[in-house]
Amino acid sequence: MFVLKIVNNENLKQYNTFGINTIAEYSVRLEDESNVAETIEFAKSRSLKTLILGGGSNLLFTQKDFNGLVIAIRNSGIETIEEDSTSVLVKVKAGHDWDNFVEQTVLMGYSGHENLSLIPGLTGAAPIQNIGAYGQELQNICEMVEYFDTEKMKGKIILNRECSFGYRTSIFKESIKGKFIITAVYFRLQKGFVPKTAYGSISEKLSKMGVTKPTPVDLRNAVISIRKEKLPDPKVTGNAGSFFKNPVVKIEKLKILQETFTDIPYYPATEGYVKLSAGWLIEKCGFKGKREGNTGTAPGHALVICNFGEATGEEIISFAYKIKDSVFNKFTVEIEPEVNIIT
Ligand code: FAD
Ligand code: EPU
């Protein structure tokens, strides 16, 4: 019989990339998905609030204590489910390190996910905000998501088309929020290779590397190199990547903004809308590289809020809201956190 190994009063500092000190009243590591039901039953029987923890790279603890049960997802493994002449379907367990999965499968010659290299965190969290980078999004390679429905207390598999994927969103952030534990994700990877090199400085980076006909490994290396130049390493400086999402506004709104801010950058979005650059808006408000006590924005990227010392979650959130207010006052544009705020 499975015995829950519950730990009392564990400090979660090393389990969140912001490096915030938060004490979990109870915590448990889930190394086998077959134990999800018992774990949830335990929490329900004691009316404990729960928090599902992946790699802790997209959340901010704002309290000194988490009163409830933290369930760290730690099941791991990659399995080939089916294969034909052009593609493979792989099942990746939720607790498997995302970039380890990308690295292993790129080295096997599979492609489709190489632009998503070096994104921190675990595979189970990846569908939740439909991770994206360098012209690729998870929704283009994810076939199905397996999860445990914590209300109905049973396992389910949903297909890509049922996931309501969008820019940094999915069904997991909307209609079924807080009612699921993702246990595995299925990806369709390609054997042939069509490189996606249109985004930002990828082509420039590849030519600097002396690459004219990139392989998936070359593209992965180019993306890794750009990311290392741009983003602070959370092992050195606490952060959770982009703190805010890029705001999506109506084209009419862009036109009004362009009357005053002629050089405002914008990118295509769904019909009738454009995506603005939150980093640019924040920089124009004077926040790039700005420090306030132990917190501030990264010197090289205004969208990344950092913990430069022993910042508390409260300090970080109040700095973030100062940025949000400032952007609204200057541009009348609302920027919303991408990071999950844990209260
Ligand atoms: P966590 O932070 O542990 O959790 C995130 C949320 O998902 C929480 O609400 C948590 O409760 C929930 N959750 C986690 N796992 C499960 C599960 N199995 N079942 C149910 N709920 C779960 N993101 C991008 O999209 N693109 C980027 O380019 C990118 N770059 C980044 C760069 C840096 C330096 C950092 C620190 C972060 C970056 N991120 C990026 C954000 C982050 O890496 C991703 O959102 C990642 O998918 C989070 O994974 P995680 O396992 O750390 O999730
Ligand atoms: N910019 C500035 N000042 C800054 C930062 C950016 O003006 O300080 C402007 C520049 O015009 C730059 C543009 O913003 O060209 C875009 O910057 P970047 O390429 O760094 O992309 P981003 O929009 O800031 C998004 C994702 C990142 C992802 C990159 C690459 C969001 C919220 N962020 O950042 O994802 O890695 O594109 O695709 O969509 C994350 O989600 O945590 C994350 C890091």
Side-chain angles (χ1 to χ4, degrees):
M1 203 198 116
F2 166 64
V3 180
L4 276 181
K5 287 197 194 116
I6 306 279
V7 177
N8 290 323
N9 299 324
E10 186 176 22
N11 189 337
L12 302 177
K13 184 180 169 76
Q14 59 172 314
Y15 302 116
N16 71 99
T17 61
F18 257 123
I20 303 294
N21 281 299
T22 290
I23 308 297
E25 187 182 11
Y26 304 108
S27 57
V28 64
R29 291 167 68 86
L30 212 63
E31 281 162 9
D32 187 333
E33 58 283 0
S34 64
N35 301 327
V36 174
E38 263 181 271
T39 309
I40 296 298
E41 266 157 21
F42 169 83
K44 283 187 177 176
S45 68
R46 289 165 195 238
S47 305
L48 293 175
K49 181 167 94 167
T50 55
L51 170 70
I52 317 303
L53 183 66
S57 66
N58 203 24
L59 46 79
L60 175 65
F61 290 109
T62 56
Q63 307 293 318
K64 284 200 202 84
D65 301 294
F66 179 82
N67 294 317
L69 175 66
V70 172
I71 305 171
I73 306 301
R74 296 296 180 262
N75 59 338
S76 181
I78 304 174
E79 188 188 344
T80 300
I81 301 296
E82 57 180 52
E83 181 167 3
D84 60 28
S85 59
T86 60
S87 70
V88 283
L89 180 67
V90 289
K91 174 181 178 180
V92 188
K93 292 199 180 179
H96 201 101
D97 179 79
W98 170 261
D99 194 52
N100 175 279
F101 152 61
V102 178
E103 181 183 31
Q104 277 198 45
T105 43
V106 162
L107 288 173
M108 289 160 85
Y110 302 140
S111 67
H113 52 343
E114 59 285 340
N115 292 45
L116 302 176
S117 291
L118 209 67
I119 296 181
L122 307 183
T123 304
I128 298 173
Q129 72 159 11
N130 179 26
I131 57 166
Y134 298 94
Q136 183 57 300
E137 280 184 322
L138 172 131
Q139 65 173 319
N140 299 321
I141 54 166
C142 171
E143 199 150 301
M144 298 178 283
V145 180
E146 179 188 285
Y147 70 92
F148 186 83
D149 180 329
T150 56
E151 254 187 7
K152 301 205 172 84
M153 294 300 282
K154 61 177 188 190
K156 284 186 180 169
I157 289 192
I158 53 169
L159 303 176
N160 177 307
R161 64 167 183 273
E162 299 167 297
C163 289
S164 307
F165 286 126
Y167 165 63
R168 295 293 190 272
T169 192
S170 72
I171 190 171
F172 303 106
K173 293 201 90 168
E174 299 294 335
S175 61
I176 64 166
K177 188 176 176 170
K179 298 174 187 165
F180 65 90
I181 295 183
I182 294 180
T183 48
V185 190
Y186 292 72
F187 297 96
R188 175 71 61 183
L189 302 177
Q190 303 304 316
K191 291 184 173 178
F193 184 42
V194 184
K196 284 194 175 202
T197 56
Y199 189 97
S201 52
I202 292 187
S203 302
E204 195 187 320
K205 177 60 75 181
L206 285 168
S207 61
K208 270 196 193 144
M209 288 162 57
V211 175
T212 44
K213 269 194 82 185
T215 62
V217 172
D218 292 328
L219 199 40
R220 169 172 165 80
N221 289 338
V223 167
I224 288 176
S225 173
I226 297 169
R227 293 184 68 96
K228 283 188 172 166
E229 284 162 13
K230 274 197 178 185
L231 297 166
D233 179 355
K235 289 196 186 95
V236 180
T237 308
N239 75 89
S242 302
F243 194 90
F244 298 97
K245 291 184 270 194
N246 286 323
V248 176
V249 300
K250 288 198 166 145
I251 286 176
E252 293 75 30
K253 173 75 182 175
L254 171 71
K255 287 190 177 140
I256 296 167
L257 286 166
Q258 281 173 323
E259 288 169 16
T260 316
F261 308 101
T262 49
D263 58 341
I264 186 168
Y266 62 94
Y267 306 92
T270 46
E271 216 192 321
Y273 290 83
V274 288
K275 198 192 274 177
L276 303 179
S277 160
W280 187 89
L281 300 172
I282 296 168
E283 182 174 344
K284 292 294 160 200
C285 291
F287 277 96
K288 187 168 182 170
K290 187 165 178 181
R291 294 268 300 247
E292 237 185 60
N294 287 318
T295 187
T297 56
H301 207 300
L303 191 47
V304 180
I305 299 184
C306 298
N307 175 2
F308 290 108
E310 289 292 313
T312 62
E314 255 182 339
E315 281 176 90
I316 291 176
I317 197 76
S318 75
F319 182 67
Y321 278 92
K322 212 178 256 185
I323 292 177
K324 182 177 161 64
D325 289 347
S326 190
V327 167
F328 186 77
N329 292 338
K330 192 173 176 82
F331 299 103
T332 56
V333 172
E334 290 278 6
I335 52 170
E336 299 300 337
E338 173 189 302
V339 170
N340 297 278
I341 312 297
I342 312 298
T343 52

